[in-house]
Amino acid sequence: MDLTTDYLGLRLRNPLLASASPLSRTLDGVRRLADAGVGAVVLYSLFEEQLRREAAHNEAMALQGSESYAESLSYFPATVQASDNGSGAQRYLRLLERAVAAVDVPVIGSLNAATPGNWAHYARSMQDAGAAAIELNIYYLPGDAGVDGRAVEQRHLDVLAEVKGAAGIPVAVKLSPYFSATADMAHRLDAAGADGLVLFNRFLQPDIDPETLGAVRTVALSGPADTRLPLTWITLLHRQIHACLAASTGVETARDVAKYLLAGADVVQSASALLRHGPEYAAVLLRDLADWMDRKGFQRLDEVRGLLAAPGGEEPGSLAARERADYVWAMRKANSGIYETY
C-alpha cells in the first residue's frame, strides 16, 4: 500500500500530519509523533503578540543601557530578569533546531499572526533553524464594525506577503472560512504565493455559565461533526487552485481521513484525536486508512484523492448553481422527516 504524498513541495511518507498543539511543545512529544508514523509535524505556534512584547522589551533595555557608562561592563538593568532559557522566540528556535535533527520527517514551523509587522523576520529564523516549511496561522476576528471586508482580506494578503518576503521556504496559510467569498479569497492567496492552504482555523467561541454569570473561555477539542465545513470547501477548491490543500478539524477516525482525501485534500492534519488518545494513535489512524484502501481496491493515494471533488473547468456560476440545487434537495428530505444524527 503506497501512502506517500506531496505537500508544499515535500515528499511525505503518508498524508497524516500532526498539527500544531501542546504535543509538539517538547522534543519528546515531537519524537513520539514521528515514531507513531505521522508524515510531518507542525510545531506549536509562535505568537505575534509574544514576538512584539519581546521586541519592545529589548528596545526598552537597549535605551536603558545607553544611559550607562561604556566602561561599566557589569551594568545590568534592574528590570531585566535573567533566564537560562532565553526568550520565548529563542526557546522556540532551539526546539525547532533540535527537533529537525532528532526525527526523520519534516518539521514545519508555525507562526500565529493577525497583523503585518516587523515580527515577520522570524520566518527567516525558522528557515535558518531547519524548518521544512512555515504554517502561517492568520487568526483575526473582525469584531469592529468599522473594519470592512476588503480591509480584512487585504490584511491576510499583507501578512502573507511579509512572511513570503522574509523566508525562502514554502508557506501554507491557515485561515478561517468566514469571508464573503471564500473561494475568491483562496484564489487571491494562491495568486499571492501561498504554497498551501490549511482549511480551517477555528475561532474561539466562548460559552456562558448562567450559574457563575461569567464567560467560559476554553478551547473545545473538535469532533467528526466539525469536518463538514472544511469538506465543503476542499471539495470546491480541489482542481481550482495551484496551492496544496490541507484539511484540519474534526479528525477522529480513519473514516474522517478518508473523507478528506476523497474531497481532494493533499494532507490531513490532526490534533484533537492525538490529544485525546495520545501521539501513538497516529499509528492506528494510518493502519485503519490502509485497511480501508485495501478493502476498496485502492493501491495509491492518487487513486483516492479528489474522487468526490467538484469537477474542474466548469462554466462560471455552475458550482454555485449545483450547491443551490443540493441545498434544495436536502431541505426537501428534511421536510419529509429524513435527518442525519450524530
Side-chain angles (χ1 to χ4, degrees):
M1 189 65 61
D2 184 6
L3 295 180
T4 58
T5 191
D6 294 314
Y7 177 60
L8 305 179
L10 307 170
R11 189 65 174 172
L12 307 182
R13 60 189 180 185
N14 62 65
L16 182 64
L17 272 61
S19 57
S21 80
L23 293 174
S24 57
R25 290 188 69 91
T26 66
L27 183 60
D28 179 65
V30 174
R31 281 179 173 148
R32 288 176 65 190
L33 290 165
D35 290 345
V38 297
V41 176
V42 182
L43 219 59
Y44 76 97
S45 292
L46 188 59
F47 281 75
E48 169 193 335
E49 290 80 2
Q50 177 184 2
L51 299 175
R52 289 187 185 278
R53 282 196 303 270
E54 291 180 1
H57 178 75
N58 291 339
E59 182 178 358
M61 293 305 98
L63 290 174
Q64 188 169 346
S66 67
E67 297 174 359
S68 66
Y69 293 104
E71 62 269 21
S72 301
L73 298 180
S74 62
Y75 173 78
F76 201 74
T79 54
V80 173
Q81 295 181 351
S83 171
D84 293 335
N85 295 324
S87 70
Q90 290 172 333
R91 291 194 297 273
Y92 187 96
L93 294 172
R94 281 201 296 268
L95 173 61
L96 174 57
E97 190 171 28
R98 293 170 64 201
V100 169
V103 299
D104 60 353
V105 297
V107 179
I108 298 172
S110 176
L111 274 172
N112 191 304
T115 63
N118 58 12
W119 57 266
H121 74 273
Y122 283 96
R124 181 54 186 252
S125 298
M126 289 184 179
Q127 174 183 334
D128 294 342
I134 291 172
E135 184 171 286
L136 177 58
N137 187 339
I138 303 180
Y139 185 102
Y140 176 60
L141 179 62
D144 187 345
V147 179
D148 63 24
R150 290 184 181 179
V152 173
E153 294 170 358
Q154 190 59 48
R155 177 182 292 222
H156 283 67
L157 295 169
D158 291 343
V159 173
L160 171 62
E162 291 203 3
V163 173
K164 285 287 291 186
I169 54 179
V171 177
V173 179
K174 189 172 186 177
L175 70 162
S176 84
Y178 302 115
F179 295 95
S180 59
T182 300
D184 177 68
M185 192 65 219
H187 278 273
R188 293 173 67 187
L189 289 166
D190 185 29
D195 300 281
L197 299 180
V198 184
L199 310 179
F200 287 111
N201 196 345
R202 292 193 301 152
F203 285 137
L204 175 65
Q205 297 174 328
D207 201 356
I208 290 178
D209 188 333
E211 295 302 323
T212 63
L213 306 182
V216 181
R217 298 179 180 88
T218 58
V219 176
L221 298 181
S222 66
D226 297 309
T227 62
R228 290 297 187 92
L229 192 57
L231 272 175
T232 298
W233 284 109
I234 291 171
T235 299
L236 294 173
L237 291 174
H238 182 69
R239 302 190 185 97
Q240 303 297 324
I241 61 174
H242 296 98
C244 297
L245 293 173
S248 177
T249 301
V251 172
E252 179 63 24
T253 68
R255 175 183 173 87
D256 304 309
V257 178
K259 286 162 62 175
Y260 274 134
L261 293 171
L262 287 166
D266 293 285
V267 295
V268 179
Q269 296 191 3
S270 177
S272 294
L274 300 180
L275 286 168
R276 286 192 189 98
H277 307 293
E280 292 72 24
Y281 186 64
V284 177
L285 291 173
L286 291 167
R287 181 200 64 206
D288 291 350
L289 175 65
D291 288 346
W292 171 81
M293 289 178 61
D294 184 58
R295 285 192 292 106
K296 296 298 180 183
F298 297 120
Q299 295 300 313
R300 304 185 313 277
L301 282 185
D302 288 343
E303 299 171 356
V304 177
R305 184 176 293 110
L307 191 62
L308 298 181
E314 295 194 350
E315 292 296 323
S318 59
L319 288 178
R322 180 184 297 125
E323 283 294 301
R324 177 69 185 180
D326 289 344
Y327 164 74
V328 172
W329 181 79
M331 289 301 99
R332 285 175 176 169
K333 283 182 62 178
N335 289 332
S336 300
I338 302 174
Y339 310 97
E340 280 196 32
T341 59
Y342 293 94

